[in-house]
Amino acid sequence: MEEPSATEPQKVDRGDDDDDAVIVTRALTKRYRGGQLAVDTLDLTVPAGSVFGFLGPNGSGKTTTIRMLMGLIEPTSGTARVLGRPMPRATRAVLPHVGALIEGPALYGFLSGRDNLARYDAADPTADPRTRRKRVAAALDRVGLTAAAGKKAKAYSLGMKQRLGLAAALLQPRRLLVLDEPTNGLDPQGMREIRTLVRELAHDGTTVFLSSHLLDEIEQVCTHAAVMAQGRLITQGAVAELAAGARGRLVVTTPDAADAARVLKEQGVADVAVTDDRVTGEVPDGDRELADLNAALVKAGVRVRGFGAERASLEDAFVALTGEGFDVAG
């Protein structure tokens, strides 16, 4: 039987039972005019209470999927259910329970951050105007913008605008929070703060659906993930299980990196790469002991200062599934 190609979708685990899912899609498809297939028969299951990473390179269909889930565009075929209700038919019933930050926040540049949030809050028919000021202050505090609350939004940096958009999504308690590339424009400290906030929200019972092209971001904050490529779902499941399904990397630290690389290749180690004094390669298949490789290096006169196998990362899993590299740094 022929092996599937790297770009064909693998058999995927649909995750938890649909009854316990916050988002469920079945054969969800979006084809644009001109024939472009943006999302192709997507079967997605997002468990309640999870921090779910929706992972894929730019252009893989993530934002189109989110726009269908939020009722902003109609699917060409297939179904989507959010909080147990069909979308886009149940948009009015579902969206008051969903906070969303999609394709960056829409802000009034001439208004302050505080006044922008007040506008968002006033547009919510379920929001009590008597407690608006308190809600706005709490949302600003939660994303670290209290000190800049009086500054006009047009003077905000990109990262500050992202924070303000997130604050708008947090004005009311939400069962589901949908974030499309929430750390775009943030410095490392800002990214850490957003990750901490996402964990806190999940701890409080909010399901967080977070799309990103940053593998490292997903691995650090998410409990579950789905991997997209070219509009198709490659795999989904618990993050730890996705990484465990890939082999780790053999890592050798030595001042004799070129010699070490040569010896490892002679010993049958595949995908050998050299970076300064660090040599990496695939962990060999079969019963072969890593100690034998270490002994071969020593016998060849290589000064081994570090030797071992690193745990497989989500990046390793992505490359194994798709045969493609990935932008892990942004």
Side-chain angles (χ1 to χ4, degrees):
M1 186 171 152
E2 224 173 87
E3 297 256 334
S5 72
T7 55
E8 289 177 352
Q10 311 298 304
K11 183 179 179 182
V12 297
D13 175 8
R14 287 182 172 178
D16 295 355
D17 292 338
D18 290 359
D19 292 344
D20 190 37
V22 169
I23 295 172
V24 178
T25 72
R26 293 294 174 255
L28 189 66
T29 300
K30 181 63 180 179
R31 187 184 294 275
Y32 287 109
R33 289 178 184 175
Q36 179 195 355
L37 190 59
V39 178
D40 187 2
T41 58
L42 175 64
D43 286 350
L44 195 65
T45 304
V46 178
S50 63
V51 179
F52 194 98
F54 198 39
L55 180 63
N58 292 327
S60 61
K62 303 190 305 298
T63 296
T64 298
T65 298
I66 289 174
R67 290 174 66 82
M68 287 190 283
L69 292 175
M70 295 295 96
L72 297 173
I73 57 174
E74 292 261 3
T76 304
S77 60
T79 62
R81 296 182 72 84
V82 178
L83 302 179
R85 306 290 295 273
M87 295 294 281
R89 195 162 73 242
T91 298
R92 288 188 179 180
V94 169
L95 291 189
H97 304 284
V98 179
L101 177 58
I102 304 171
E103 294 184 324
L107 303 173
Y108 293 98
F110 62 92
L111 293 179
S112 69
R114 182 185 295 109
D115 289 342
N116 266 280
L117 291 191
R119 284 276 185 111
Y120 273 109
D121 194 74
D124 184 347
T126 68
D128 184 348
R130 294 171 298 179
T131 53
R132 179 162 298 139
R133 183 174 295 181
K134 183 178 178 181
R135 278 193 304 277
V136 168
L140 287 165
D141 181 62
R142 196 149 202 194
V143 299
L145 282 178
T146 299
K151 184 184 293 187
K152 289 185 178 180
K154 65 183 179 182
Y156 278 20
S157 67
L158 177 58
M160 292 170 72
K161 289 176 181 176
Q162 286 292 101
R163 290 167 187 255
L164 191 60
L166 188 53
L170 297 174
L171 283 166
Q172 293 273 25
R174 309 291 185 181
R175 289 178 59 192
L176 171 65
L177 187 61
V178 177
L179 306 176
D180 188 15
E181 302 280 359
T183 58
N184 268 359
L186 296 183
D187 59 19
Q189 177 61 27
M191 294 174 73
R192 282 192 293 272
E193 290 169 359
I194 295 299
R195 285 196 295 266
T196 299
L197 176 57
V198 166
R199 293 188 190 103
E200 289 173 356
L201 290 165
H203 184 265
D204 292 342
T206 301
T207 302
V208 181
F209 184 85
L210 187 160
S211 89
S212 181
H213 67 287
L214 303 177
L215 282 146
D216 185 54
E217 178 174 75
I218 296 293
E219 193 159 21
Q220 288 189 55
V221 77
C222 293
T223 60
H224 296 70
V227 178
M228 294 283 286
Q230 298 175 351
R232 309 192 80 178
L233 180 67
I234 302 300
T235 190
Q236 67 181 315
V239 168
E241 293 173 4
L242 294 179
R247 284 187 294 164
R249 297 282 291 173
L250 176 67
V251 180
V252 180
T253 305
T254 172
D256 309 314
D259 290 335
R262 174 181 53 79
V263 172
L264 291 177
K265 289 176 183 176
E266 290 172 353
Q267 295 295 314
V269 175
D271 193 24
V272 175
V274 177
T275 306
D276 299 326
D277 63 348
R278 179 181 163 98
V279 184
T280 63
E282 289 185 6
V283 175
D285 283 323
D287 299 327
R288 184 163 190 193
E289 292 285 342
L290 292 179
D292 294 340
L293 291 176
N294 193 17
L297 290 167
V298 173
K299 185 177 180 181
V302 174
R303 292 167 289 174
V304 178
R305 292 178 176 166
F307 184 93
E310 285 187 346
R311 178 182 65 85
S313 66
L314 202 54
E315 180 185 3
D316 297 323
F318 182 89
V319 172
L321 286 164
T322 67
E324 299 177 11
F326 203 90
D327 180 3
V328 294

